[in-house]
Coordinates of all heavy atoms in Angstrom, one line a residue:
M347 N 86.2 202.6 411.6 CA 87.0 202.5 410.4 C 88.5 202.0 410.7 O 89.0 201.3 409.9 CB 87.1 203.8 409.8 CG 85.9 204.2 408.9 SD 86.4 205.5 408.0 CE 85.3 205.6 406.8
A348 N 89.1 202.5 411.7 CA 90.4 202.3 412.1 C 90.6 200.8 412.4 O 91.6 200.0 412.1 CB 90.9 203.0 413.2
S349 N 89.5 200.1 413.0 CA 89.6 198.6 413.3 C 89.6 197.9 412.1 O 89.9 196.7 412.2 CB 88.5 198.3 414.2 OG 87.3 198.5 413.5
E350 N 89.2 198.3 410.9 CA 89.2 197.6 409.6 C 90.6 197.4 409.0 O 90.7 196.6 408.1 CB 88.3 198.2 408.6 CG 86.8 198.3 409.1 CD 86.0 199.0 408.1 OE1 86.5 199.4 406.9 OE2 84.8 199.2 408.4
Y351 N 91.5 198.2 409.5 CA 92.8 198.0 409.0 C 93.5 196.9 409.5 O 93.6 196.5 410.7 CB 93.6 199.4 409.3 CG 95.1 199.3 408.8 CD1 95.4 199.4 407.5 CD2 96.1 199.0 409.8 CE1 96.8 199.3 407.2 CE2 97.4 199.0 409.4 CZ 97.7 199.2 408.1 OH 99.2 199.0 407.8
H352 N 94.2 196.1 408.6 CA 94.9 194.9 409.0 C 96.4 195.1 408.4 O 96.5 195.1 407.1 CB 94.3 193.6 408.5 CG 93.0 193.3 409.1 ND1 92.7 193.0 410.3 CD2 91.7 193.5 408.4 CE1 91.4 192.9 410.6 NE2 90.8 193.1 409.4
R353 N 97.3 195.1 409.2 CA 98.7 195.4 408.8 C 99.2 194.2 407.9 O 99.1 193.1 408.3 CB 99.6 195.5 410.1 CG 101.1 195.8 409.6 CD 101.8 195.9 410.9 NE 103.3 196.2 410.3 CZ 104.1 196.9 410.9 NH1 103.8 197.5 412.1 NH2 105.3 197.0 410.5
G354 N 99.9 194.5 406.8 CA 100.4 193.7 405.9 C 99.5 193.1 404.8 O 99.8 192.1 404.1
D355 N 98.2 193.4 404.8 CA 97.2 193.0 403.9 C 97.3 193.7 402.5 O 96.8 193.2 401.6 CB 95.8 193.0 404.4 CG 95.7 192.0 405.5 OD1 96.6 191.2 405.6 OD2 94.6 192.2 406.2
M356 N 97.9 194.8 402.4 CA 97.8 195.8 401.2 C 98.8 195.1 400.1 O 99.9 194.6 400.5 CB 98.1 197.1 401.5 CG 97.9 198.0 400.4 SD 98.0 199.7 400.9 CE 99.8 200.0 401.1
D357 N 98.4 195.2 398.9 CA 99.3 194.8 397.8 C 100.2 196.0 397.6 O 99.8 197.1 397.1 CB 98.4 194.5 396.6 CG 99.4 194.1 395.4 OD1 100.5 193.5 395.6 OD2 99.1 194.3 394.3
I358 N 101.5 195.8 397.6 CA 102.4 196.9 397.5 C 103.2 196.8 396.2 O 104.3 197.3 396.0 CB 103.4 196.9 398.8 CG1 104.2 195.6 398.9 CG2 102.6 197.4 399.9 CD1 105.4 195.9 399.8
S359 N 102.9 196.0 395.2 CA 103.5 195.8 394.0 C 103.9 197.2 393.3 O 104.9 197.3 392.7 CB 102.9 194.8 393.2 OG 101.6 195.3 392.8
E360 N 102.8 198.0 393.3 CA 103.1 199.3 392.6 C 104.2 200.2 393.4 O 104.9 200.9 392.6 CB 101.8 200.1 392.5 CG 100.9 199.4 391.6 CD 99.5 200.3 391.4 OE1 99.5 201.6 391.7 OE2 98.6 199.7 391.1
Q361 N 104.1 200.1 394.8 CA 105.2 200.9 395.5 C 106.6 200.3 395.2 O 107.5 201.1 395.0 CB 104.9 200.9 396.9 CG 103.7 201.7 397.3 CD 102.4 201.1 397.3 OE1 102.3 199.9 396.8 NE2 101.4 201.6 397.9
V362 N 106.6 198.9 395.0 CA 107.9 198.3 394.8 C 108.4 198.7 393.5 O 109.6 199.0 393.2 CB 107.8 196.8 395.0 CG1 109.0 196.1 394.5 CG2 107.5 196.5 396.4
A363 N 107.5 198.7 392.5 CA 107.8 199.0 391.2 C 108.3 200.4 391.0 O 109.3 200.8 390.4 CB 106.7 198.8 390.2
T364 N 107.7 201.4 391.6 CA 108.1 202.7 391.7 C 109.3 203.0 392.3 O 110.3 203.7 391.8 CB 107.0 203.6 392.4 OG1 105.7 203.6 391.8 CG2 107.3 205.1 392.4
F365 N 109.5 202.3 393.4 CA 110.8 202.3 394.2 C 112.0 201.9 393.2 O 113.1 202.6 393.1 CB 110.8 201.5 395.5 CG 112.1 201.5 396.2 CD1 112.5 202.6 397.0 CD2 113.0 200.5 396.1 CE1 113.6 202.5 397.7 CE2 114.1 200.3 396.8 CZ 114.5 201.4 397.7
N366 N 111.8 200.8 392.5 CA 112.8 200.2 391.7 C 113.1 201.1 390.4 O 114.2 201.2 390.0 CB 112.4 198.9 391.2 CG 112.5 197.8 392.3 OD1 113.2 198.0 393.2 ND2 111.8 196.8 392.1
L367 N 112.1 201.7 389.9 CA 112.2 202.7 388.9 C 113.0 203.8 389.2 O 113.9 204.4 388.6 CB 110.8 203.1 388.3 CG 110.9 204.2 387.1 CD1 111.5 203.5 385.9 CD2 109.4 204.6 386.9
F368 N 112.6 204.4 390.4 CA 113.4 205.7 390.9 C 114.8 205.3 391.1 O 115.7 206.2 390.7 CB 112.7 206.1 392.2 CG 113.4 207.4 392.8 CD1 113.2 208.5 392.3 CD2 114.3 207.1 394.0 CE1 113.9 209.7 392.9 CE2 114.9 208.2 394.5 CZ 114.8 209.4 393.9
N369 N 115.1 204.2 391.7 CA 116.5 203.8 392.0 C 117.4 203.7 390.7 O 118.4 204.0 390.5 CB 116.7 202.5 392.9 CG 116.4 202.8 394.4 OD1 116.4 204.0 394.7 ND2 116.1 201.8 395.0
G370 N 116.7 203.1 389.7 CA 117.3 202.8 388.5 C 117.6 204.1 387.6 O 118.6 204.4 387.2
L371 N 116.5 205.0 387.7 CA 116.8 206.3 387.0 C 117.9 207.2 387.7 O 118.6 207.9 387.0 CB 115.4 207.1 387.0 CG 114.4 206.6 386.1 CD1 113.1 207.3 386.3 CD2 114.8 206.7 384.6
T372 N 117.9 207.1 389.1 CA 118.9 207.8 389.7 C 120.3 207.2 389.4 O 121.2 208.0 389.4 CB 118.7 207.7 391.2 OG1 117.4 208.3 391.6 CG2 119.6 208.4 392.2
K373 N 120.4 206.0 389.4 CA 121.7 205.3 389.2 C 122.2 205.7 387.9 O 123.3 206.1 387.6 CB 121.5 203.8 389.5 CG 122.7 202.9 389.2 CD 122.6 201.5 389.6 CE 121.4 200.9 389.0 NZ 121.3 199.4 389.4
W374 N 121.4 205.4 386.8 CA 121.9 205.6 385.4 C 122.0 207.0 385.1 O 122.9 207.4 384.3 CB 120.9 204.8 384.4 CG 121.0 203.3 384.8 CD1 120.0 202.6 385.2 CD2 122.1 202.5 384.6 NE1 120.4 201.3 385.4 CE2 121.8 201.1 385.0 CE3 123.5 202.7 384.3 CZ2 122.6 200.1 385.0 CZ3 124.3 201.6 384.3 CH2 124.0 200.3 384.6
G375 N 121.0 207.9 385.6 CA 121.1 209.3 385.5 C 122.4 209.9 385.9 O 123.0 210.8 385.4
S376 N 122.8 209.4 387.0 CA 124.1 209.8 387.8 C 125.2 209.4 386.9 O 126.2 210.2 386.7 CB 124.3 209.3 389.3 OG 123.1 209.8 390.0
L377 N 125.2 208.3 386.4 CA 126.4 207.8 385.5 C 126.5 208.6 384.3 O 127.6 209.0 383.9 CB 126.2 206.2 385.2 CG 127.3 205.8 384.2 CD1 128.7 205.9 384.8 CD2 126.9 204.3 383.9
S378 N 125.4 208.9 383.6 CA 125.5 209.8 382.5 C 125.9 211.1 382.7 O 126.5 211.7 381.9 CB 124.1 209.8 381.8 OG 123.0 210.2 382.5
I379 N 125.4 211.7 383.7 CA 125.8 213.2 384.2 C 127.4 213.0 384.5 O 128.1 214.0 384.0 CB 125.1 213.7 385.3 CG1 123.7 214.0 384.9 CG2 125.7 214.9 385.8 CD1 122.7 214.3 385.9
A380 N 127.9 212.1 385.1 CA 129.3 211.9 385.4 C 130.1 211.8 384.2 O 131.2 212.5 384.0 CB 129.5 210.9 386.4
A381 N 129.7 211.0 383.2 CA 130.3 210.8 382.0 C 130.4 212.1 381.1 O 131.4 212.5 380.6 CB 129.8 209.7 381.2
L382 N 129.3 212.8 381.1 CA 129.2 214.1 380.5 C 130.1 215.1 381.0 O 130.7 215.9 380.3 CB 127.8 214.6 380.4 CG 127.6 216.1 379.7 CD1 127.8 215.9 378.2 CD2 126.1 216.4 379.9
M383 N 130.1 215.2 382.4 CA 131.0 216.2 383.1 C 132.6 215.9 382.7 O 133.2 216.7 382.6 CB 130.7 216.1 384.5 CG 129.4 216.7 384.9 SD 129.2 218.3 384.4 CE 130.5 219.2 385.4
V384 N 132.9 214.5 382.7 CA 134.4 214.1 382.5 C 134.6 214.5 381.0 O 135.6 215.3 380.8 CB 134.5 212.6 382.7 CG1 135.7 212.1 382.0 CG2 134.4 212.3 384.2
L385 N 133.7 214.4 380.0 CA 133.9 214.8 378.8 C 134.2 216.2 378.7 O 135.1 216.6 378.0 CB 132.7 214.2 377.9 CG 132.7 214.8 376.4 CD1 133.8 214.3 375.6 CD2 131.4 214.7 375.8
L386 N 133.3 217.0 379.2 CA 133.4 218.4 379.1 C 134.6 219.1 379.8 O 135.3 219.9 379.3 CB 132.1 219.1 379.6 CG 130.8 218.8 378.7 CD1 129.6 219.3 379.4 CD2 131.0 219.2 377.4
V387 N 134.8 218.6 381.0 CA 136.0 219.0 381.8 C 137.4 218.7 381.0 O 138.3 219.6 380.9 CB 136.0 218.5 383.2 CG1 137.3 218.7 383.9 CG2 135.0 219.1 383.9
V388 N 137.5 217.5 380.6 CA 138.7 217.1 379.8 C 138.8 217.8 378.5 O 139.9 218.3 378.0 CB 138.9 215.6 379.7 CG1 140.0 215.3 378.8 CG2 139.0 214.9 381.1
W389 N 137.7 218.1 378.0 CA 137.8 218.7 376.5 C 138.0 220.3 376.7 O 138.9 220.7 376.0 CB 136.3 218.6 375.9 CG 136.2 219.0 374.5 CD1 137.2 219.6 373.7 CD2 135.0 219.1 373.7 NE1 136.7 219.9 372.5 CE2 135.3 219.6 372.5 CE3 133.6 218.7 374.0 CZ2 134.3 219.8 371.5 CZ3 132.8 218.9 373.0 CH2 133.1 219.4 371.7
F390 N 137.4 220.9 377.6 CA 137.5 222.3 377.7 C 138.6 222.8 378.7 O 138.9 224.0 378.6 CB 136.2 223.0 378.0 CG 135.3 222.8 376.8 CD1 134.1 222.2 376.9 CD2 135.5 223.4 375.5 CE1 133.2 222.0 375.8 CE2 134.6 223.4 374.5 CZ 133.5 222.6 374.5
C391 N 138.8 222.1 379.8 CA 139.7 222.6 380.8 C 141.0 222.0 380.8 O 141.9 222.4 381.6 CB 139.1 222.2 382.2 SG 137.4 223.1 382.3
T392 N 141.4 221.2 379.8 CA 142.8 220.7 379.7 C 143.3 220.9 378.2 O 142.4 221.0 377.3 CB 142.9 219.2 380.2 OG1 142.0 218.4 379.4 CG2 142.3 219.0 381.6
P393 N 144.5 220.8 378.0 CA 145.0 220.8 376.7 C 144.8 219.5 375.9 O 145.1 219.3 374.7 CB 146.4 221.2 376.8 CG 146.7 220.8 378.1 CD 145.5 220.9 379.0
A394 N 144.2 218.5 376.5 CA 144.1 217.1 376.0 C 143.2 217.1 374.7 O 143.3 216.4 373.9 CB 143.7 216.1 377.1
G395 N 142.1 218.0 374.9 CA 141.2 217.9 373.7 C 140.0 217.0 373.7 O 139.8 216.3 374.7
F396 N 139.3 217.1 372.6 CA 138.0 216.2 372.5 C 138.3 214.8 372.6 O 137.5 214.0 373.3 CB 137.3 216.7 371.2 CG 136.1 215.7 371.0 CD1 135.0 216.0 371.8 CD2 136.1 214.7 370.1 CE1 133.8 215.1 371.5 CE2 135.1 213.9 369.8 CZ 133.9 214.1 370.7
L397 N 139.3 214.3 371.8 CA 139.5 212.9 371.7 C 139.8 212.2 373.2 O 139.3 211.2 373.4 CB 140.6 212.4 370.8 CG 140.7 211.0 370.5 CD1 139.4 210.5 369.9 CD2 141.9 210.9 369.6
A398 N 140.6 212.9 373.9 CA 140.9 212.4 375.3 C 139.7 212.5 376.1 O 139.5 211.6 376.8 CB 142.1 213.2 375.8
G399 N 138.9 213.5 376.0 CA 137.8 213.6 376.8 C 136.7 212.5 376.4 O 136.1 211.9 377.3
F400 N 136.6 212.3 375.2 CA 135.7 211.2 374.8 C 136.2 209.8 375.2 O 135.4 209.0 375.6 CB 135.5 211.3 373.2 CG 134.7 210.2 372.7 CD1 133.2 210.5 372.7 CD2 135.0 209.0 372.1 CE1 132.3 209.5 372.3 CE2 134.2 208.1 371.7 CZ 132.8 208.3 371.7
I401 N 137.4 209.6 375.1 CA 137.9 208.3 375.6 C 137.8 208.2 377.1 O 137.4 207.0 377.6 CB 139.4 208.1 375.3 CG1 139.6 208.0 373.6 CG2 140.0 207.0 375.9 CD1 141.0 208.0 373.1
S402 N 138.0 209.2 377.9 CA 137.9 209.2 379.3 C 136.3 208.9 379.6 O 135.9 208.1 380.6 CB 138.2 210.5 379.9 OG 139.6 210.7 379.6
A403 N 135.3 209.6 378.9 CA 134.1 209.5 379.2 C 133.6 208.0 378.8 O 132.8 207.4 379.6 CB 133.2 210.5 378.5
A404 N 134.1 207.5 377.8 CA 133.8 206.2 377.4 C 134.2 205.0 378.4 O 133.6 204.1 378.7 CB 134.3 205.7 376.0
V405 N 135.5 205.3 378.9 CA 136.1 204.3 380.0 C 135.1 204.4 381.1 O 134.8 203.4 381.7 CB 137.5 204.7 380.2 CG1 138.0 203.9 381.4 CG2 138.3 204.3 378.9
L406 N 134.7 205.7 381.5 CA 133.9 205.9 382.8 C 132.6 205.2 382.6 O 132.2 204.4 383.4 CB 133.8 207.3 383.1 CG 132.8 207.7 384.2 CD1 133.4 207.0 385.6 CD2 132.6 209.0 384.4
T407 N 132.0 205.3 381.3 CA 130.8 204.7 381.2 C 130.8 203.2 381.1 O 129.9 202.6 381.8 CB 130.2 205.2 379.7 OG1 130.2 206.5 379.8 CG2 128.9 204.6 379.4
V408 N 131.8 202.7 380.6 CA 131.8 201.2 380.5 C 132.1 200.6 382.0 O 131.5 199.6 382.4 CB 133.0 200.8 379.6 CG1 133.4 199.3 379.9 CG2 132.8 201.0 378.2
L409 N 133.0 201.3 382.8 CA 133.3 200.8 384.1 C 131.9 201.0 384.9 O 131.6 200.1 385.8 CB 134.4 201.6 384.7 CG 135.8 201.3 384.1 CD1 136.8 202.1 384.8 CD2 136.1 199.7 384.5
G410 N 131.3 202.0 384.7 CA 130.1 202.5 385.4 C 128.9 201.3 385.2 O 128.3 200.9 386.0
V411 N 128.8 201.0 383.8 CA 127.9 199.9 383.5 C 128.2 198.6 384.2 O 127.4 197.8 384.6 CB 127.7 199.8 382.1 CG1 127.0 198.5 381.7 CG2 127.1 201.0 381.4
L412 N 129.5 198.4 384.3 CA 130.0 197.0 384.8 C 129.7 197.0 386.2 O 129.3 195.9 386.8 CB 131.4 196.7 384.6 CG 131.8 196.5 383.1 CD1 133.3 196.3 383.0 CD2 131.1 195.0 382.5
F413 N 129.9 198.0 386.9 CA 129.7 198.1 388.4 C 128.2 198.3 388.7 O 127.9 197.8 389.9 CB 130.6 199.2 389.0 CG 132.0 198.8 389.2 CD1 133.0 199.5 388.4 CD2 132.4 197.7 389.9 CE1 134.3 199.1 388.5 CE2 133.9 197.4 389.9 CZ 134.7 198.1 389.3
L414 N 127.4 199.0 388.0 CA 126.1 199.3 388.4 C 125.1 198.4 387.9 O 123.9 198.5 388.4 CB 125.8 200.8 387.9 CG 126.6 201.8 388.6 CD1 126.2 203.2 387.9 CD2 126.4 201.9 389.9
R415 N 125.4 197.5 387.0 CA 124.4 196.5 386.5 C 123.7 195.7 387.5 O 124.3 195.5 388.7 CB 124.8 195.8 385.3 CG 125.9 194.8 385.8 CD 126.5 194.0 384.7 NE 127.6 193.2 385.2 CZ 128.3 192.4 384.5 NH1 128.2 192.5 383.2 NH2 129.3 191.8 385.1
E416 N 122.5 195.1 387.3 CA 121.8 194.4 388.3 C 122.5 193.1 388.5 O 122.9 192.4 387.6 CB 120.5 194.0 387.8 CG 119.6 195.4 387.9 CD 119.2 195.9 389.1 OE1 119.1 195.1 390.3 OE2 119.3 197.1 389.3
K417 N 122.9 192.6 389.7 CA 123.5 191.4 390.1 C 122.5 190.4 390.4 O 121.3 190.8 390.9 CB 124.3 191.5 391.2 CG 125.8 192.2 390.9 CD 125.8 193.6 391.3 CE 127.1 194.2 391.0 NZ 127.0 195.6 390.7
P418 N 122.6 189.2 390.2 CA 121.7 188.2 390.5 C 121.5 188.0 391.9 O 122.6 188.3 392.6 CB 122.2 186.8 389.9 CG 123.7 187.1 389.6 CD 123.8 188.6 389.4
D419 N 120.4 187.8 392.5 CA 120.2 187.8 393.8 C 120.9 186.5 394.5 O 120.8 185.6 393.8 CB 118.5 187.7 394.2 CG 117.8 188.9 393.9 OD1 118.5 190.0 393.9 OD2 116.6 188.9 393.6
A420 N 121.4 186.7 395.6 CA 122.1 185.8 396.4 C 120.9 184.7 396.9 O 120.0 185.2 397.4 CB 123.0 186.2 397.5
A421 N 121.2 183.4 396.8 CA 120.3 182.4 397.3 C 120.4 182.4 398.9 O 121.6 182.3 399.4 CB 120.6 181.1 396.7
H422 N 119.3 182.5 399.5 CA 119.3 182.6 400.9 C 118.6 181.3 401.5 O 117.7 180.8 401.0 CB 118.6 183.8 401.5 CG 119.5 185.0 401.2 ND1 118.8 186.2 401.0 CD2 120.8 185.2 401.3 CE1 119.7 187.2 400.9 NE2 120.9 186.5 401.1

């Protein structure tokens, strides 16, 4: 049975899709948690209030989306 294995013959498209999904969920989930934490910390732990917390979280979200979005692949 072991001699029937040929390295590199298996279709790995499902593994690649799972890897990409996991990376995407990790990336966007981390950004959403960070924005929520900024909102809550500025709102409850400083005298700035809700509006400053919301603006801070919105700025973080916009910058995060700009930096974390998918870039086109470089031509090799």
Side-chain angles (χ1 to χ4, degrees):
M347 278 191 164
S349 64
E350 294 176 13
Y351 175 73
H352 299 288
R353 183 179 174 144
D355 289 344
M356 187 173 75
D357 180 30
I358 60 167
S359 60
E360 289 185 23
Q361 287 91 346
V362 171
T364 302
F365 178 78
N366 291 334
L367 177 65
F368 177 78
N369 280 344
L371 289 174
T372 302
K373 179 171 51 172
W374 299 114
S376 297
L377 177 62
S378 63
I379 290 172
L382 178 65
M383 291 300 295
V384 165
L385 170 70
L386 294 175
V387 166
V388 173
W389 186 6
F390 290 117
C391 298
T392 65
F396 172 76
L397 188 59
F400 182 77
I401 292 171
S402 300
V405 168
L406 177 66
T407 302
V408 168
L409 289 175
V411 167
L412 289 176
F413 285 115
L414 293 178
R415 66 182 175 188
E416 293 292 323
K417 281 99 176 152
D419 292 335
H422 290 142

